[in-house]
Amino acid sequence: MTEYGRGPGSEPWHPEDPLYGDGGWGGQEAQAAQSPYGGQPQHHPEQPQQPEYGDWGAGQQAGYDQGPQQYAQGQQQYGGHSPQQYTGQGGQGYPGQGGPQYDPNGRPYDQNDQNGQPYDQSGQQYDQNGQPYNGGWGTGQQYQQQHQVPYNGDPNDPYGDQAAAYAGQQPDQYGTPDAYPPPEPPGRRRAEPEPEPQRTDWDPGPDQGEHAFFAGGDDDDDGVDDDGDDPQSRRRGKGGKGSKGKGEKKSRSGCACLVVSLVFTSMIGGVGYFGYQFYQNRFGSAPDYAGDGTGEQVTVVIPKGAFGSVIGQRLKAAGVVKSVDAFVAAQSQNSEGDKIQPGSYLLKKQMSAESAVELMLDPKSQNNLVVREGQRNVTVYEAIDKQLDLPKGSTAKVAEEKYESLGLPDWANDDTDIKDPLEGFLYPATYPADKDMKPEAVLKEMVSQANKEYAKYDLEAKADDLGLDDPLQVVTVASLVQAEGITHDDFRKMAAVVYNRLKPTNDVTNQKLEFDSTYNYLKGQSEIDISVDEIRNYDDPYNTYFYKGLPPGPIGNPGGEALKAAVDPDGGAWMFFISIDGKKTDFTKTLADHEKLVQKFNERRKKD
């Protein structure tokens, strides 16, 4: 089959044939804007396809003979895709296209050619030169006989090369991939696919990174057909491999919607939560229990120096109060709330904050062990046994056997004559002592507190300044001041008496302290009326009436004021002291003044 002609065959071609297609296929001259194949306009490659040499009709031959100019016009019109433009001049010459058409018997369809001359009724066709025409299916032999054009002939002939090429029997171009498709009958024609829209650089499209959900497409418009194949992938030769169906596309869009919904829900929930918390903090009341609590008791230890918020945290952790804010508010509303002392408290679980504050102010709730200033260790041991519900002597035995593991400083227990190595290191304070605790734990806490307090002073340097041997003697002086002084106002003068009597220049007592408190300590008593013969003749390192200087170790546990007085004594030359009424201490510098005060003391005792 040639490009524009029609070869013999069984396909119906005449309008009177019952299988003829649409009405536009008749022999009427095609309009200038209509495709020669009918249907959608044909889009051909930009390089024009030359018709085969043997298929040229009389009209094309005429256009050929009329010269290069007219042929150039025909070539220019060829790109417009109009049947008239293929005739070379005015659409003449092609049977079945621009020129007259014939039925199978050779009769002209319109009975006249385009020059107005009737066709031969015998069915013979002629070209414009009057030569018999073979119906457009000739081999081009007549044309070759009449117009022998040598290969690469006349250079002025623009068609010479093409004619020579056709004379060389070039193969039919319909066998190559670049050829135009042959015309088909209307009944077999199919509408050409819509051309793919050209995508610009600024339009990435869903397949270049933008999800269809955000691109605004729906399931029917997402570029995937019902069979799950991507038409663009098929056009690119990718086939169905890797293509995703509509169900998966919908699933992907659904997942995106779910993720976005979850994000929005989380944001709304977070905003609501923080908004509620802000409202509660600013305007709402703090969470709190109601009532006096359950029957379950719990011990809570409050450290020294704890503020209301720290106390509230301890109570909340133990399950006593519901919130710290509720306790702080209740403490501030109570006029005695700031008097809550550190120590151990026996409370109940799930108490209202107001009830917890009131109970902590009640001494009955305090499950503590209090070490008083000047208290001896033997008394402290008995108190620990009682607090921990232990047999009498249990804590004293632990102190004797385990004192080295309780955290004493290196300068402690420097003398083998020391009766109790822990004396002076059970620092006066309030300590938690619950029944679940062990004695060594309580003792270790007391020693630790003493180390903290003593570390506030450079006791080694103070000992050198005061003429003492070691820091332990400084603590010993503090214990003597604590034991002999009545009030804190007495402490500095009492420390001066100690240091003045220890001086080598002391010729009144000959460097003996002569303190009754040291004799009472070794005796384990607290007597005032002691016989002179008894006290001066009792041989013991702690008896300062018998031995010069300080006792081997402290005689009690001094407090902070006594320790301060020991490291910073009064500068007076005080040598003697006496308390006439038991409430006030009188200090003197000479023995004569002291004897006068002793006489007043004896007179007062006789009256009592």
Side-chain angles (χ1 to χ4, degrees):
M1 179 181 294
T2 59
E3 186 172 357
Y4 297 108
R6 160 105 182 139
S10 61
E11 295 294 337
W13 200 257
H14 196 273
E16 294 181 359
D17 192 289
L19 296 179
Y20 181 75
D22 56 4
W25 183 254
Q28 303 296 330
E29 184 176 355
Q31 298 298 325
Q34 184 177 357
S35 171
Y37 301 132
Q40 299 296 330
Q42 299 295 322
H43 300 278
H44 304 296
E46 294 181 0
Q47 181 178 0
Q49 179 70 30
Q50 297 295 339
E52 295 185 10
Y53 185 86
D55 291 339
W56 285 26
Q60 185 67 17
Q61 180 179 353
Y64 179 89
D65 293 339
Q66 290 177 7
Q69 182 177 0
Q70 294 179 354
Y71 182 80
Q73 295 176 1
Q75 286 293 91
Q76 183 177 2
Q77 295 172 351
Y78 181 85
H81 305 287
S82 174
Q84 294 179 355
Q85 296 164 354
Y86 298 119
T87 59
Q89 198 176 41
Q92 299 178 6
Y94 279 93
Q97 294 291 342
Q101 299 180 359
Y102 301 88
D103 60 10
N105 296 324
R107 295 184 180 88
Y109 180 75
D110 56 359
Q111 301 300 323
N112 292 294
D113 61 12
Q114 293 186 3
N115 295 324
Q117 299 297 328
Y119 291 98
D120 189 352
Q121 299 298 324
S122 62
Q124 179 62 43
Q125 300 179 16
Y126 301 89
D127 59 16
Q128 292 183 357
N129 296 324
Q131 299 298 328
Y133 181 62
N134 61 358
W137 300 98
T139 62
Q141 295 178 358
Q142 284 184 331
Y143 187 84
Q144 293 177 15
Q145 294 175 0
Q146 294 178 9
H147 303 278
Q148 295 293 335
V149 181
Y151 182 73
N152 292 333
D154 188 359
N156 295 323
D157 188 355
Y159 313 107
D161 293 343
Q162 296 181 10
Y166 290 128
Q169 297 297 323
Q170 263 190 318
D172 189 355
Q173 295 299 322
Y174 280 116
T176 63
D178 296 332
Y180 290 113
E184 294 184 2
R188 294 191 178 183
R189 296 176 186 168
R190 292 176 296 180
E192 290 189 2
E194 290 292 335
E196 181 181 359
Q198 296 297 324
R199 184 170 293 152
T200 59
D201 294 338
W202 50 265
D203 182 15
D207 60 346
Q208 296 187 19
E210 182 180 4
H211 197 280
F213 175 81
F214 299 101
D218 54 18
D219 291 338
D220 296 334
D221 253 348
D222 56 4
V224 180
D225 58 13
D226 294 338
D227 296 333
D229 294 332
D230 186 355
Q232 186 173 355
S233 298
R234 289 200 304 269
R235 285 193 296 272
R236 295 174 180 173
K238 296 182 180 179
K241 185 177 181 180
S243 302
K244 297 183 179 180
K246 181 185 295 187
E248 187 172 352
K249 190 74 173 182
K250 290 183 178 179
S251 176
R252 196 162 59 242
S253 299
C255 290
C257 292
L258 179 61
V259 170
V260 173
S261 300
L262 291 176
V263 171
F264 286 158
T265 303
S266 301
M267 292 175 61
I268 294 174
V271 171
Y273 173 78
F274 286 109
Y276 174 77
Q277 293 296 326
F278 177 80
Y279 175 81
Q280 285 294 106
N281 293 336
R282 290 299 185 90
F283 308 105
S285 59
D288 195 5
Y289 293 120
D292 297 332
T294 63
E296 183 179 0
Q297 291 184 334
V298 61
T299 300
V300 181
V301 178
I302 305 302
K304 186 177 181 179
F307 296 100
S309 59
V310 177
I311 298 175
Q313 291 174 1
R314 294 291 184 99
L315 297 180
K316 181 182 178 182
V320 177
V321 297
K322 193 171 185 179
S323 67
V324 177
D325 292 341
F327 177 81
V328 172
Q331 184 186 24
S332 62
Q333 293 172 3
N334 192 308
S335 59
E336 303 291 329
D338 57 347
K339 296 182 179 181
I340 295 178
Q341 299 297 318
S344 178
Y345 292 86
L346 187 63
L347 305 172
K348 297 179 181 180
K349 285 193 173 183
Q350 297 184 5
M351 299 180 67
S352 67
E354 182 180 358
S355 300
V357 172
E358 292 177 357
L359 186 58
M360 294 182 75
L361 292 174
D362 188 351
K364 296 180 180 179
S365 69
Q366 297 179 7
N367 192 26
N368 303 321
L369 177 63
V370 179
V371 178
R372 296 186 302 273
E373 295 177 348
Q375 198 171 20
R376 300 170 186 168
N377 279 7
V378 62
T379 307
V380 177
Y381 296 153
E382 293 175 356
I384 293 175
D385 288 341
K386 183 178 180 181
Q387 189 73 20
L388 303 184
D389 197 16
L390 298 174
K392 187 177 181 179
S394 298
T395 304
K397 185 178 181 180
V398 170
E400 182 180 358
E401 295 176 353
K402 299 182 179 181
Y403 72 92
E404 293 181 348
S405 63
L406 299 179
L408 290 173
D410 296 338
W411 43 265
N413 193 22
D414 190 55
D415 196 327
T416 56
D417 293 333
I418 293 177
K419 296 184 179 301
D420 186 353
L422 294 180
E423 196 73 68
F425 293 92
L426 305 183
Y427 194 80
T430 301
Y431 299 94
D434 188 70
K435 294 181 180 181
D436 296 332
M437 299 177 67
K438 295 182 178 182
E440 51 265 37
V442 180
L443 294 174
K444 185 177 290 186
E445 179 66 24
M446 293 177 179
V447 173
S448 175
Q449 185 65 32
N451 289 333
K452 292 178 182 177
E453 296 296 329
Y454 294 160
K456 295 177 181 179
Y457 309 94
D458 189 357
L459 295 185
E460 292 185 1
K462 290 294 182 180
D464 292 339
D465 295 341
L466 297 170
L468 303 177
D469 295 338
D470 51 44
L472 182 61
Q473 289 190 341
V474 179
V475 178
T476 302
V477 171
S479 67
L480 295 173
V481 170
Q482 185 78 59
E484 295 289 346
I486 296 177
T487 64
H488 289 175
D489 295 336
D490 299 339
F491 288 165
R492 294 190 68 213
K493 290 183 179 181
M494 191 65 67
V497 171
V498 173
Y499 292 125
N500 288 334
R501 289 189 180 187
L502 291 176
K503 291 180 179 180
T505 58
N506 176 17
D507 56 0
V508 178
T509 63
N510 297 320
Q511 298 179 357
K512 292 181 180 178
L513 293 180
E514 296 184 350
F515 281 6
D516 293 349
S517 57
T518 59
Y519 184 78
N520 285 332
Y521 176 79
L522 67 91
K523 285 291 187 174
Q525 64 184 18
S526 297
E527 298 293 336
I528 298 177
D529 294 331
I530 302 174
S531 169
V532 175
D533 293 338
E534 178 187 354
I535 196 171
R536 289 186 182 276
N537 296 314
Y538 192 86
D539 187 1
D540 189 280
Y542 279 84
N543 186 1
T544 56
Y545 280 91
F546 194 88
Y547 286 94
K548 295 179 180 181
L550 294 171
I555 62 173
N557 294 288
E561 294 297 326
L563 185 62
K564 290 179 181 179
V567 297
D568 185 21
D570 185 274
W574 311 109
M575 289 292 291
F576 304 95
F577 61 92
I578 190 172
S579 176
I580 298 176
D581 56 3
K583 297 178 182 179
K584 181 183 178 182
T585 304
D586 294 323
F587 293 89
T588 60
K589 298 178 181 179
T590 63
L591 180 58
D593 293 339
H594 176 65
E595 290 179 347
K596 293 179 181 179
L597 293 176
V598 171
Q599 186 178 358
K600 289 183 179 179
F601 174 75
N602 292 331
E603 293 177 355
R604 185 180 181 88
R605 291 185 64 184
K606 290 179 181 179
K607 292 180 180 179
D608 294 341

